[in-house]
Amino acid sequence: MTRGIDMTQDAVGVYEPAYPLNLDATLSCGQLFRWKKGENTWQGIADGRFITIRQKENRLFFSGCSEAFLVSYLHLDSDYDAMVSGFCCDSHISDAVCRTGGLRIVRQDPWECLISYLCAQNANIPFITRMIENICQTAGEPILAPDKTVGYAFPTPTALSLLTLEEKRGCTLGYRAPYIHKTTAAIAADPEWANRIREMPFEEARRSLMTYPGIGPKVADCVLLFGFQKYESFPVDVWIRMIMHRLYGIGNPAVSLTPAEYERIRRFAQEHFGPYAGYAQEFLFAVRESYTDGKF
DNA sequence: GTATACCCTGACTA
DNA sequence: ATAGTCAGGGTAT
């Protein structure tokens, strides 16, 4: 601003993170669904704006957002080494951290995060991406990128609540459509929902999220971790269960993931890794391909 | 409390 | 080519 440059629009900014960051790992690890990588540059829509980010050595070249937003979004305002050393309590997790150094849990918008992970149940990443894109095109505001291509912001709760159930089904949401329909209606009528949950202790926030239709333990844990920065959250999917069994002998991947089983695994992880268990989970997930050979 | 069928789509197999 | 199978999280019974 001081030099007449509008850093909130398409001017380019440069930022040198004070703590380690691996942008590729951060944006491609499956926590986000609206970023794609071009030549060397990541493009995405967040906070209702087109944003580009490129990492070169220890510098970030970005456009479309303020430096303050970038730092907050990528969680670059916290001491990485202090955080990571808190849960690097054994050789398995230390190995995963070394192999994916600089992975960050992005601060997502709670509302977008909640709907995204409601879509994510019983789906893979390409499918989830399609569902979210359909939602944005159907109910989101169009956004013109600097290169004149048109994208769509994630819709507000009100905008999404105005779609009929059938219009939501048209977004290839399948049986998730009624869940999203009801949950959206509840949230559109209750603007304070996120502030309330943010203030709650972890278990209470978790129970509160699980009262919304279609939100069970897994989706709730993802929303707490990615949308509310409750880093003790430890979402357990089939990958994490398999890894936890292999590395720590906890749980039994041969049977279906029952609620009791889910509970056992997450309690163990929260106890074992501590207040940043969710970060440990992301590192383990990031190296999951190492454990695909053989069966358990 | 716990097990099971079902919801829907896409990817894979026969 | 097309039918059948399966993965995946939440819910109702």
Side-chain angles (χ1 to χ4, degrees):
Chain A
M1 311 299 161
T2 52
R3 287 184 294 271
I5 297 170
D6 183 2
M7 298 296 278
T8 64
Q9 287 304 314
D10 46 32
V12 172
V14 184
Y15 177 74
E16 196 159 330
Y19 304 110
L21 169 71
N22 180 339
L23 187 68
D24 285 347
T26 298
L27 297 182
S28 68
C29 74
Q31 60 180 320
L32 294 158
F33 305 101
R34 302 210 74 201
W35 287 88
K36 54 175 190 274
K37 196 179 184 183
E39 309 269 318
N40 296 307
T41 304
W42 285 92
Q43 297 184 51
I45 297 176
D47 200 33
R49 297 172 293 195
F50 256 108
I51 296 172
T52 69
I53 313 174
R54 179 166 62 95
Q55 183 169 34
K56 197 177 180 190
E57 279 108 43
N58 191 34
R59 281 186 170 172
L60 294 176
F61 298 85
F62 62 97
S63 71
C65 66
S66 67
E67 180 179 303
F69 178 85
L70 186 82
V71 169
S72 169
Y73 188 66
L74 296 177
H75 197 207
L76 297 175
D77 48 4
S78 77
D79 186 335
Y80 177 88
D81 293 323
M83 187 173 67
V84 162
S85 64
F87 58 78
C88 275
C89 52
D90 66 65
S91 61
H92 303 305
I93 187 65
S94 299
D95 175 63
V97 168
C98 285
R99 288 158 62 194
T100 325
L103 175 63
R104 289 294 186 153
I105 292 180
V106 169
R107 276 194 181 94
Q108 299 186 33
D109 172 68
W111 155 246
E112 177 173 344
C113 183
L114 183 142
I115 297 300
S116 298
Y117 282 88
L118 214 29
C119 292
Q121 68 178 63
N122 274 359
N124 54 33
I125 290 169
F127 184 29
I128 301 162
T129 304
R130 247 188 71 202
M131 289 188 267
I132 293 172
E133 208 48 46
N134 290 337
I135 286 173
C136 293
Q137 287 184 18
T138 309
E141 290 294 320
I143 302 174
L144 202 58
D147 66 3
K148 305 304 174 199
T149 58
V150 177
Y152 293 87
F154 196 88
T156 63
T158 302
L160 192 55
S161 74
L162 294 176
L163 291 190
T164 64
L165 179 55
E166 284 313 306
E167 286 171 322
K168 289 190 180 77
R169 281 195 193 280
C171 296
T172 64
L173 304 179
Y175 68 87
R176 302 161 195 80
Y179 295 155
I180 291 171
H181 196 64
K182 292 178 198 159
T183 293
T184 297
I187 286 178
D190 178 20
E192 285 302 306
W193 76 279
N195 291 333
R196 237 177 17 247
I197 287 177
R198 192 177 291 108
E199 297 308 315
M200 289 176 186
F202 179 76
E203 296 294 338
E204 187 187 351
R206 191 171 189 268
R207 281 193 299 275
S208 178
L209 279 175
M210 286 179 15
T211 63
Y212 292 109
I215 299 187
K218 169 69 192 316
V219 173
D221 285 338
C222 287
V223 175
L224 291 166
L225 183 58
F226 303 126
F228 287 100
Q229 294 73 53
K230 295 195 184 281
Y231 296 112
E232 67 266 56
S233 178
F234 193 88
V236 180
D237 65 5
V238 291
W239 289 101
I240 289 300
R241 175 166 71 142
M242 182 265 291
I243 292 169
M244 291 302 285
H245 178 256
R246 275 238 201 154
L247 300 184
Y248 302 102
I250 189 97
N252 178 6
V255 299
S256 72
L257 182 52
T258 62
E261 176 92 335
Y262 189 108
E263 215 43 26
R264 215 175 303 128
I265 297 170
R266 86 161 171 109
R267 296 289 185 181
F268 170 86
Q270 289 173 330
E271 176 77 17
H272 186 70
F273 297 122
Y276 285 90
Y279 252 95
Q281 191 265 19
E282 284 302 288
F283 283 106
L284 292 173
F285 188 79
V287 299
R288 66 193 177 282
E289 298 297 339
S290 306
Y291 301 99
T292 52
D293 59 316
K295 282 288 174 186
F296 325 125

